[in-house]
Amino acid sequence: MDTTTSGIELQTQRRWLRDFVEMLSSMRFAISLLSLIAIASVIGTVLKQNEPMPNYVNQLGPFWFEVFGKLGLYAVYSAWWFLLIMGFLVASTSLCIVRNAPRMLSDMRSWRENVREQSLRNFHHRAEWSEASGEQAMLQRALAVVSSRGYKVKVVQKDGAALLTAKRGAANKWGYILAHSAIVIICIGGLLDSDLPIRFQQWAFGKTPFSGSGVIAEIPAKHRLGLGNPSFRGNTLIPEGGKSDTAILPQATGVLIQELPFTIELKKFVVDFYSTGMPKLFASEVIVTDNETGKQFPATIKVNEPLIFKGMAVYQSSFEDGGTKLKVTGYPMVGERSYGFKLTGEVGGTTPLSSDRGNEYTVEWSGFRAFNVENMAANGDVRAVSRNKTLAESLDSRLGSAAKAGGNKDLKNVGPSLQYKLRDKTGQAREFHNYMQPVQVDGAWVFLVGMRESPSEPFKYLRIPADDKDSVEEWMRLRAAIRNPALREQAARRYAAKAMAANADGGMQDRLRQSALRGLEIFAGDEQQAGFLAISRFLEKIPAAEQEKAADIFMKILNGSLWDLWQVAREADGLPALAADEKHGKFLQLATNALADAFFYRAPVFLQLNEFDEVKASVLQVTRSPGKNVVYFGSLLLVLGVFAMLYIRERRLWIWVRPDGQEGGAHALMAMSTQRKTLDFEKEFESMKIDLTGAATPARAASGS
């Protein structure tokens, strides 16, 4: 009983193993795996790979960020499930080759001579004829005709007759073998270039990603990969005059440092632009030093022209700022102080900053661009090349909104721009983007001062009008004056005195002074509301029937008192009064709008770029790809295999020759077969039949086609 049970269990296990191997080596299973790989490749193309995790959070939101992270979609080609699919595809295709290749090779060598006359009569493409020339003469003529058409021929004697068997295009089966072998080879090449070697080092040698900050040379050995790492793809950023002998390999939780057997020194970075502002050419002129021998040689690395050295390829990937030196002037955006202060910084660095209110901030200098080509449309809107949308479309409705851009483009270089973050002591930060020079928008020259709360938002721009000296000083003076109660009182008195100069009624003049002062106070506002928003809330308290008239009077008084406030502020700084002309009137109108919008700017200081010493940096991609040549070889085999399957047609031909029964006569039966019945095969059969039956008596020739 035990023996019987064990035998049944063994048979069950063998059956299960056989079924599993059958399923694994089936074409359906392989096609399913290829479909999954195709879907994964689409995901890897649509979703940018190996980006910093905050970018995905901003793009997808917290919920989908977690979902996509669990699925490993941020690094699809190194995800465990993708590598598992690749492994199964290699196993499945290899089993297909193992199971079918020997049979195919045997069939290619086989002459299929074990046929009978009756079986040939069952072929669709067949022909029969008789000749009086005799069996040997018929056989020799058939042998000559078939051989002349490129067929390999063999003649065997059987059952008192002669069988001529021929074949052509047997290499068609090599197409199947080569194509399937190519899939295996390409997948193996892909696995060789994957991060499997790095994962093995993390598992076997305890290598872990580095998630902190600091000098690369001081990063511990457990975060570094040695020169023997067989496969990697990393980046190195080198400023002009700088050197690097390491590459940074991004990981999900940090980076790994890859040691290089050579040192790259960037002597000069060259970049050229199209008129649209897009880079036309960028190249790195470098000095390469072999760390083992100390030998040096110059090289130029361009896009699509990599440097190949010691089994590694160094590509020109992109370029960044390498630490441009900045000199800026800071202007307070809160309080009564109007004069600026000097500040220096370096892109990529930080600078401490204290505000008038005693708050501590840190300026993080995050970006600089010396070249900004923008689209100056007919209506004055500016198109941001980096976002392919107008700045007017980007401006918030409360921060200098503008009309829609026209369809025509007028590309101009509007000069340098500065980008920085202002971080408070709690760690909260806002990002700012300021143009160095004034830009013409809606026919007026203004400084565009951008702000956004998070990287996922577009910048919202405050428009500060340029004064007679093309600076922001006059607007800053007016901004500080409206925060000064004493100057507001003085401006209100002056406005009332001028307005009531011809009226001796002191009570009327005092009421006008109070109205002007009240208007300035409402416009100045507080931390809750200011500007036109505060005026709107104030007018809502007036009966609806009188609001329009009250608003008209309110704005006339406000505009007049703001003009006097501006002049009072200039006098306080020892400057002469300005002429009340159209130019200064337009400036005051723009300045008033900017003062109202400044409430939403919510920054303690505005930093204006004055001078810069640009330092460029080159981003180079360093790769070691042992699987690259393997993939190239697999691709070559795939092309040859597909060519063989599509353009090489296997044909088999048999001619059964026997005595006819008449004295000296002979009878022949011909049959042909092919895997794919095409029009070309039909023509070939008809041509072969005509050549073979040309000497036969027409009355005795027959065809089954």
Side-chain angles (χ1 to χ4, degrees):
M1 184 66 180
D2 293 339
T3 304
T4 304
T5 303
S6 300
I8 294 175
E9 291 179 352
L10 182 60
Q11 291 179 2
T12 303
Q13 292 175 359
R14 289 178 177 176
R15 187 182 305 111
W16 178 87
L17 180 61
R18 185 172 59 253
D19 292 342
F20 176 76
V21 173
E22 184 72 26
M23 183 272 293
L24 188 61
S25 60
S26 66
M27 182 176 292
R28 290 182 179 179
F29 186 73
I31 292 176
S32 300
L33 294 177
L34 284 172
S35 300
L36 292 176
I37 290 177
I39 294 172
S41 300
V42 171
I43 295 174
T45 302
V46 174
L47 184 66
K48 287 186 177 180
Q49 300 292 286
N50 299 312
E51 290 281 304
M53 290 299 111
N55 291 7
Y56 294 117
V57 176
N58 296 329
Q59 180 181 356
L60 303 172
F63 175 77
W64 288 110
F65 170 77
E66 292 291 339
V67 173
F68 282 27
K70 295 293 185 183
L71 296 175
L73 299 184
Y74 306 133
V76 169
Y77 305 113
S78 60
W80 65 267
W81 53 266
F82 184 83
L83 298 178
L84 184 64
I85 293 174
M86 293 277 285
F88 270 112
L89 182 60
V90 170
S92 175
T93 311
S94 299
L95 283 174
C96 286
I97 297 173
V98 170
R99 292 182 60 191
N100 298 317
R103 179 174 54 82
M104 289 184 173
L105 294 174
S106 177
D107 186 66
M108 290 169 59
R109 293 191 297 267
S110 171
W111 290 95
R112 299 185 187 178
E113 56 196 52
N114 296 323
V115 296
R116 295 290 183 267
E117 182 178 7
Q118 185 57 41
S119 63
L120 295 180
R121 296 184 186 278
N122 295 327
F123 278 68
H124 178 72
H125 293 85
R126 70 183 187 279
E128 294 185 61
W129 70 97
S130 297
E131 294 183 9
S133 59
E135 181 181 353
Q136 287 299 321
M138 176 183 284
L139 188 62
Q140 291 298 324
R141 196 171 70 82
L143 185 64
V145 170
V146 175
S147 298
S148 67
R149 290 177 172 267
Y151 282 78
K152 294 181 179 180
V153 182
K154 181 180 180 181
V155 178
V156 295
Q157 298 293 328
K158 55 189 305 182
D159 299 336
L163 174 64
L164 185 152
T165 176
K167 59 183 177 180
R168 184 182 180 186
N172 169 270
K173 290 184 171 58
W174 277 110
Y176 174 91
I177 297 174
L178 292 178
H180 283 70
S181 301
I183 294 176
V184 175
I185 293 172
I186 291 172
C187 289
I188 292 175
L191 291 173
L192 288 176
D193 283 349
S194 69
D195 65 347
L196 284 179
I198 296 176
R199 293 190 178 188
F200 175 77
Q201 294 178 71
Q202 290 177 322
W203 171 75
F205 305 115
K207 300 294 184 180
T208 58
F210 178 72
S211 58
S213 60
V215 181
I216 292 180
E218 298 176 357
I219 295 178
K222 66 178 181 179
H223 306 304
R224 311 175 79 93
L225 301 176
L227 299 178
N229 185 19
S231 173
F232 64 85
R233 183 182 300 272
N235 294 323
T236 180
L237 186 147
I238 311 174
E240 288 181 327
K243 301 179 180 180
S244 175
D245 60 357
T246 59
I248 307 299
L249 279 58
Q251 301 291 301
T253 58
V255 297
L256 289 170
I257 309 301
Q258 173 64 55
E259 302 284 352
L260 301 178
F262 49 83
T263 300
I264 304 175
E265 179 183 0
L266 180 63
K267 304 300 293 184
K268 184 180 180 182
F269 182 77
V270 181
V271 59
D272 194 12
F273 296 91
Y274 290 104
S275 60
T276 60
M278 299 298 293
K280 178 170 62 175
L281 167 70
F282 46 96
S284 299
E285 298 179 3
V286 301
I287 299 293
V288 181
T289 304
D290 189 329
N291 294 342
E292 183 178 0
T293 64
K295 293 183 179 179
Q296 294 183 336
F297 63 90
T300 300
I301 305 173
K302 300 180 181 179
V303 177
N304 298 326
E305 296 182 19
L307 165 69
I308 308 297
F309 185 57
K310 288 206 165 186
M312 300 181 188
V314 183
Y315 297 89
Q316 180 66 64
S317 176
S318 61
F319 59 92
E320 298 288 345
D321 193 285
T324 296
K325 306 297 187 296
L326 306 168
K327 293 183 179 181
V328 303
T329 299
Y331 292 95
M333 293 293 286
V334 294
E336 303 174 11
R337 176 181 170 183
S338 64
Y339 55 90
F341 56 91
K342 301 299 180 181
L343 203 64
T344 59
E346 179 180 316
V347 174
T350 60
T351 302
L353 178 67
S354 298
S355 70
D356 287 347
R357 299 186 178 184
N359 296 326
E360 298 295 329
Y361 294 89
T362 300
V363 183
E364 300 175 1
W365 310 100
S366 55
F368 167 81
R369 290 187 64 182
F371 190 76
N372 287 277
V373 173
E374 314 287 11
N375 178 31
M376 311 300 290
N379 59 8
D381 292 337
V382 181
R383 183 175 299 275
V385 174
S386 61
R387 295 182 179 273
N388 197 29
K389 64 187 296 187
T390 62
L391 282 182
E393 293 170 342
S394 301
L395 299 181
D396 186 87
S397 60
R398 300 169 301 182
L399 287 179
S401 60
K404 298 295 182 182
N408 297 325
K409 294 183 177 180
D410 184 14
L411 298 175
K412 292 183 180 179
N413 178 18
V414 296
S417 65
L418 171 65
Q419 198 162 323
Y420 60 91
K421 291 181 180 179
L422 205 58
R423 192 176 300 276
D424 61 24
K425 58 184 179 182
T426 66
Q428 300 297 315
R430 290 187 178 91
E431 192 171 11
F432 301 87
H433 180 227
N434 302 335
Y435 287 86
M436 181 179 180
Q437 301 171 353
V439 178
Q440 190 175 30
V441 180
D442 292 337
W445 291 94
V446 297
F447 289 91
L448 292 176
V449 182
M451 183 275 294
R452 63 182 178 186
E453 299 284 349
S454 69
S456 61
E457 299 177 356
F459 282 103
K460 297 180 286 189
Y461 287 87
L462 173 66
R463 301 179 180 184
I464 300 178
D467 55 27
D468 294 345
K469 298 186 295 182
D470 287 332
S471 72
V472 297
E473 292 181 0
E474 291 299 330
W475 186 84
M476 290 295 174
R477 180 177 288 111
L478 183 58
R479 186 214 62 77
I482 203 169
R483 307 300 305 174
N484 190 319
L487 292 182
R488 290 201 300 262
E489 175 68 29
Q490 187 177 348
R493 289 183 180 276
R494 178 176 296 189
Y495 172 76
K498 290 193 304 182
M500 303 299 295
N503 193 332
D505 188 348
M508 180 69 71
Q509 182 173 334
D510 186 63
R511 286 194 295 273
L512 184 57
R513 177 192 63 80
Q514 293 179 10
S515 297
L517 181 60
R518 180 58 176 160
L520 291 174
E521 290 175 346
I522 293 174
F523 189 77
D526 51 31
E527 294 184 355
Q528 302 299 321
Q529 58 184 22
F532 296 135
L533 178 61
I535 294 174
S536 176
R537 297 286 174 79
F538 172 77
L539 293 175
E540 288 176 356
K541 302 176 183 179
I542 300 175
E546 302 178 8
Q547 283 183 5
E548 184 176 355
K549 181 179 180 181
D552 184 56
I553 296 174
F554 189 99
M555 293 305 301
K556 286 182 179 179
I557 295 175
L558 177 64
N559 290 334
S561 55
L562 281 174
W563 171 265
D564 287 313
L565 178 64
W566 184 16
Q567 307 312 309
V568 167
R570 286 181 58 85
E571 291 175 7
D573 291 339
L575 299 174
L578 295 171
D581 52 19
E582 181 180 357
K583 176 182 177 180
H584 294 111
K586 185 175 182 179
F587 174 87
L588 182 62
Q589 180 184 1
L590 296 173
T592 302
N593 294 337
L595 287 172
D597 291 340
F599 171 75
F600 302 100
Y601 187 66
R602 299 189 182 281
V605 67
F606 157 64
L607 302 181
Q608 184 181 34
L609 179 63
N610 295 328
E611 299 179 27
F612 60 87
D613 182 11
E614 186 179 13
V615 179
K616 301 185 183 73
S618 177
V619 180
L620 303 176
Q621 185 181 80
V622 187
T623 66
R624 175 181 278 164
S625 305
K628 179 178 64 176
N629 293 330
V630 177
V631 172
Y632 288 161
F633 177 67
S635 300
L636 175 62
L637 292 186
L638 183 61
V639 172
L640 294 176
V642 172
F643 178 86
M645 288 189 293
L646 293 180
Y647 296 102
I648 298 179
R649 294 178 294 109
E650 183 182 17
R651 286 94 77 199
R652 295 278 183 167
L653 181 143
W654 298 268
I655 302 178
W656 187 281
V657 181
R658 59 175 172 79
D660 193 15
Q662 298 182 7
E663 184 177 354
H667 179 82
L669 170 62
M670 179 198 57
M672 284 187 71
S673 70
T674 184
Q675 290 180 331
R676 297 193 307 271
K677 293 180 176 61
T678 62
L679 291 177
D680 290 337
F681 176 73
E682 298 287 348
K683 293 178 181 178
E684 183 179 2
F685 171 75
E686 293 297 331
S687 175
M688 180 73 75
K689 184 175 67 174
I690 291 173
D691 289 348
L692 290 172
T693 62
T697 304
R700 300 183 63 188
S703 173
S705 176

